[in-house]
Amino acid sequence: MIKRLTVLIFCLVLHLFNPHKIFAETPEYSLEISFNIHSSELTGIASFDVAGNNQLLTILTANLNIDQISLNGKKVDFTVDKGVLKLTPMEKGNLEINYRGIYNGQRYDADNNAGTSEGIINDAGIFLTGTWYPQLQGLFKYNLRAFLPDGYEAVSEAERIIKHSNNGKAEFIFEFPYVSDGINFIATNRYLVINDHYNDIEIYAYFFKEDLSLARSYIEHTKKYLSMYENLLGRYPYRRFSIVENFLPTGYSMPTYTLLGQDIVRLPFIVETSLGHEILHQWFGNFVYIDYQKGNWAEGLTTYLSDHLYDEQKGKGWEHRKQILINYKSYVNDKNEFPVNDFVTRTDFSSKAIGYGKAAMVFHMLKNIVGEELFYKSLRDLIAKKHFQRASWNDIKNVFEDNFQKDLDWFFHQWIYKKGIPRLSFESVSIKNSANMIKVSFDVVQRSGVFALNLPVTFYMSGGGRVTNLLTISGEKDTFRFYFNDGVTKMVIDEDYDIIRDISKDEYPAVISRLVGAQNLVIVPPVKDREIYKDIIDSFKERGGIEKDAKDIRDPDIKSSSLLILGSDNPLTGRLFGRMPAESGFGLTVKENPLNPDGVAAILSSKSYAETGAAYKKVFHYGKYSAVSFDQGRNVAKIIEESQRGMRVPIKDEAIVIDVAAIRSLSDIIDDVAQKKIIYVGEVHDKYAHHDIQLQIIRGLYKKSKKIAIGMEMFQRPFQNALNEYISGTIDEREFLKKSEYFKRWAFDYNLYKPILDFAKAEKIPVIALNIRREIVSKVGSGGIDSLTEEEKKEIPPDIDLSDFEYKERLKSTFDQHGGRERNFDFFFESQVLWDESMSEAIDVYMKSNPEYQMVVLAGNGHLMYGSGIPKRTFRRNGLEYSIILNEVEVDKNIANYIIQPKPVEEVYAPKLLVRLKEDGGRVYINEFAKDSPAEKAGIKTEDIILSLDDVLINDVDDMRIHLLYKKKGDIVKVKVIRKRFLLGDTIMSFDVQL
């Protein structure tokens, strides 16, 4: 980063003027300064020649105290208004300004002059940048003389530094025989100086004693960078380069030196990254100056030719460019976006994403257009034509056009002078066999403005090869067709990230930058120890975050925001992701917001206020990571969530092949899973053969170990006692079915499960009710978890993980296929996950209470496929190994451990009256008849009230179903009903119904 704040201030507050009308053709500016370090005071004399032609001279003084101004030795009256001094010299000659400044690092308003002190003078050292001397608009040759106590070393822009010591004083003379747009001054008595050289370039290292061991590495890396950039750009501009350690946390580059803070110098990666970036600024920014009023191009160019180039040399250029696009999407939005040419200096993350990131991508795209050879030739020509001059984006365009011999106005207009980036989508994707060829066709649609692009697309072939083409994009919708001899398995757009564009959701990982850049952020404080997180809460509130307690968070809050959840025991974490382990020191994990696809949810936990203070501010430097951990401020772990490379366009999946030679028997599978603690066996509920397989597995495992339990989705947890009583023999089957409300709560014939329960009862195998109350799931499906009362919420698990997005997509597909668009999918998804989590919790509770047991879980295939429903959630809770066995599902990768195709078996079902019933006031009514209903054929009518079956009183529907359970097809049932008659009154009638 180059330090040029003075120029920026002039751009903002002063009118433009032509300095050549006031000064000589090559104006010189002389400065003589001395210090009272104890009082943080600078005393200076500034002098320069003026032409004396009554032209207004505007001088920025900010917080400086101007003691006296004289022209040719004669005092001149003056006034300073809001930090700006204006003079109109009447005669030609030398203007001299005597001034003072206090630099204690504090902001203040001296003599009603607005401004901020940009320097420090104290025992630690002297750091002066910006308006530490009267500032003039324009480029000058600066002559600087400084007086300091003996023992000090000083650095400023200079090809040669002359030092004299006399009577306890040190005099420094800085020779820099070139025009510059400002100078800076650094000094301290802590420096030890070592020097070396590269060819005829003197290299100096000004390091503190405690860091002197690092100096040699910095010098050797400097030589490497000088060699590399001289090969690319031409000779290094100066005869001297210094690496200067600073007592402040800076990272600046000035002509002939770089100023790096002590904490920065100590970072081991700086020599491989930032050092080269600052050295490159010697060419761009410190040799070819920046015309800030027309945009700062240098940060983008140096980013591209340093940080990016180093990654490119390691084969990771595409990763660097992808990170640029991630940062852009994270930090830049409609409110803060601006064109690249409006970038002046980095003020926040969004401005950096534009001025550094997007601008770097512009140079990358430009290089791809003109070719690498022409690219570097054009940069060398820019240096030759504009050294010691201010250059603009237009100057860069002109140089490239001269070499490329083609118009580039379209390119610079859309990328530099126009804000925004392309947002692309792919529609009407089709793959068809055409003669002996395979035709792939699709439309590329631009969603936000139209850009001219050469968009790379790569086709992956079934034979193993790949083909890359460039799509020439120029309209709102462009149609493309490609023909291949081989099948296409995958189509990826811009997989090397050669275009600045809005990345797709699958390319966009949950990372810290998304938290920092969130527009709508809800801060969820911890339930206890708020003081630990006080500074974090205050910091994010200053960024626009809103604080809200977890108990007050509702679905609309989650759906419209990103979340910062504080404390490892925050209940909102459990509600969204299940319980997460607490960090030993300080940790931050960022995840996709389960209810807001555009947002994130970050979980931050800290052991103490000291851990927070040591680590928190460092987190902002880890924006590309999804999770970071610190111990006493030292980073001990960092993780980047995996994301897709390139924008993948859906293509028909290849057929899956089953090796029939590997087909195995059920007994083989039972042997395989016997050592697992949990065996999940799926079913289609009304398929008798599936339940037969389940029983065979249970029998096989029981032979190997008597310590086995059966978990069943078919029974709801409030009715566990009924199961216990039945298995133990305390109640009979009829009473069990009545007390468990089986027929009210499960719609499927009990005969499907009866053999399993008979075996469990005979062998006294525990059967565990897994399901949550149906009323809870139904209520959540209609109104979400927020719709539950506080009492109802006590029945649901405290830990619910909504973050399985693949599961969510599969459920969305099912939801849409079954006409779900009329309902709220988010509520449906919450109800499904609550269903899964409740069953998972029931399994976990039993296994923890009975660790010596193995459990066979019987549930619908949908709750088990890919492990998403119950298995992974139970593993999250207890880490117990499991296997998944599914019945009759479509074969797919990772859908299960085993898929069984059952042989047909004789099915046993209870006979039915084929009537639809309703209960009202303790009575059971005939509501309607199914086709070919034997009850209707026997003479029973709608609205008849059923009194008894075979003289057994009927009080509810369960009584009817239990009675019919023990009948066979063809049996005669005597049905007694009450029939209401108009005028004649009710009558009791009996009918013989053949089942």
Side-chain angles (χ1 to χ4, degrees), residues 25 96 179 206 337 353 455 613 802 916 984:
E25 282 298 313
E96 185 175 282
V179 293
Y206 291 75
E337 191 171 30
L455 186 65
L802 297 170
R916 188 181 300 277
L984 298 177

Side-chain angles (χ1 to χ4, degrees), residues 884-955:
I884 301 172
I885 304 170
L886 299 181
N887 277 289
E888 288 189 278
V889 295
E890 184 178 337
V891 177
D892 195 12
K893 292 179 181 178
N894 303 317
I895 195 171
N897 298 102
Y898 307 95
I899 296 173
I900 296 177
Q901 301 295 334
K903 299 290 186 183
V905 295
E906 183 180 355
E907 298 181 348
V908 179
Y909 294 105
K912 297 179 180 180
L913 294 175
L914 294 178
V915 296
R916 188 181 300 277
L917 306 171
K918 65 178 179 179
E919 292 183 16
D920 186 14
R923 290 184 166 186
V924 179
Y925 292 78
I926 302 292
N927 196 36
E928 60 180 299
F929 296 100
K931 183 180 179 181
D932 298 327
S933 166
E936 186 179 24
K937 290 178 180 178
I940 299 174
K941 296 183 178 181
T942 57
E943 298 302 321
D944 283 353
I945 301 169
I946 298 178
L947 288 177
S948 65
L949 299 181
D950 296 330
D951 296 326
V952 176
L953 290 178
I954 300 299
N955 296 310

Side-chain angles (χ1 to χ4, degrees), residues 428-561:
S428 304
V429 180
S430 171
I431 298 182
K432 294 181 178 179
N433 291 324
S434 176
N436 295 324
M437 305 290 286
I438 295 174
K439 182 176 77 171
V440 179
S441 60
F442 54 89
D443 296 334
V444 181
V445 179
Q446 299 200 56
R447 294 292 182 189
S448 180
V450 176
F451 294 80
L453 307 171
N454 289 322
L455 186 65
V457 56
T458 302
F459 300 93
Y460 286 81
M461 303 305 185
S462 56
R466 64 178 185 173
V467 176
T468 299
N469 290 281
L470 287 179
L471 309 179
T472 301
I473 309 294
S474 58
E476 290 185 7
K477 183 171 80 171
D478 293 279
T479 300
F480 297 91
R481 295 181 183 87
F482 294 92
Y483 295 87
F484 302 99
N485 294 319
D486 200 356
V488 178
T489 62
K490 184 169 62 173
M491 185 169 83
V492 184
I493 305 298
D494 191 26
E495 65 180 352
D496 287 333
Y497 298 92
D498 291 318
I499 300 293
I500 180 77
R501 60 179 173 83
D502 184 49
I503 56 176
S504 65
K505 184 180 183 298
D506 292 332
E507 299 172 277
Y508 193 33
V511 287
I512 293 170
S513 62
R514 292 179 65 178
L515 168 70
V516 176
Q519 292 188 70
N520 301 310
L521 181 68
V522 174
I523 307 160
V524 188
V527 292
K528 60 182 180 180
D529 299 326
R530 188 181 191 279
E531 190 64 24
I532 291 176
Y533 304 95
K534 182 179 75 69
D535 293 345
I536 297 172
I537 294 171
D538 292 344
S539 174
F540 275 94
K541 277 186 172 180
E542 290 175 4
R543 295 172 178 270
I546 298 172
E547 184 177 356
K548 200 166 189 177
D549 288 341
K551 62 182 175 58
D552 299 322
I553 298 286
R554 298 291 180 264
D555 278 358
D557 300 312
I558 302 171
K559 291 177 182 179
S560 62
S561 308

Side-chain angles (χ1 to χ4, degrees), residues 10 14 16-17 19 23 58 135-140 293 390:
F10 265 108
L14 301 182
L16 290 174
F17 72 99
F23 307 103
T58 305
Q135 295 281 321
L136 292 162
Q137 171 76 343
L139 300 175
F140 293 83
Q293 290 182 324
R390 292 197 177 116

Side-chain angles (χ1 to χ4, degrees), residues 40-148:
S40 301
E41 185 176 24
L42 159 71
T43 302
I45 301 172
S47 63
F48 44 86
D49 291 336
V50 295
N53 51 12
N54 292 328
Q55 291 289 320
L56 176 65
L57 179 63
T58 305
I59 305 171
L60 187 67
T61 59
N63 295 315
L64 296 175
N65 292 300
I66 307 302
D67 294 331
Q68 178 179 300
I69 300 177
S70 58
L71 179 61
N72 296 327
K74 300 173 186 177
K75 290 184 179 180
V76 176
D77 293 333
F78 65 92
T79 58
V80 178
D81 182 24
K82 296 181 180 179
V84 178
L85 168 66
K86 294 183 179 180
L87 294 172
T88 307
M90 302 295 292
E91 59 183 79
K92 180 179 180 179
N94 183 260
L95 188 74
E96 185 175 282
I97 303 174
N98 295 70
Y99 68 95
R100 290 174 293 110
I102 303 295
Y103 294 98
N104 53 18
Q106 297 177 354
R107 187 171 184 166
Y108 65 97
D109 187 358
D111 298 332
N112 297 317
N113 293 336
T116 301
S117 170
E118 292 180 294
I120 291 178
I121 301 172
N122 59 28
D123 290 338
I126 300 169
F127 170 76
L128 297 174
T129 66
T131 317
W132 59 276
Y133 60 92
Q135 295 281 321
L136 292 162
Q137 171 76 343
L139 300 175
F140 293 83
K141 286 184 179 178
Y142 286 91
N143 302 309
L144 174 61
R145 184 185 299 264
F147 296 91
L148 288 160

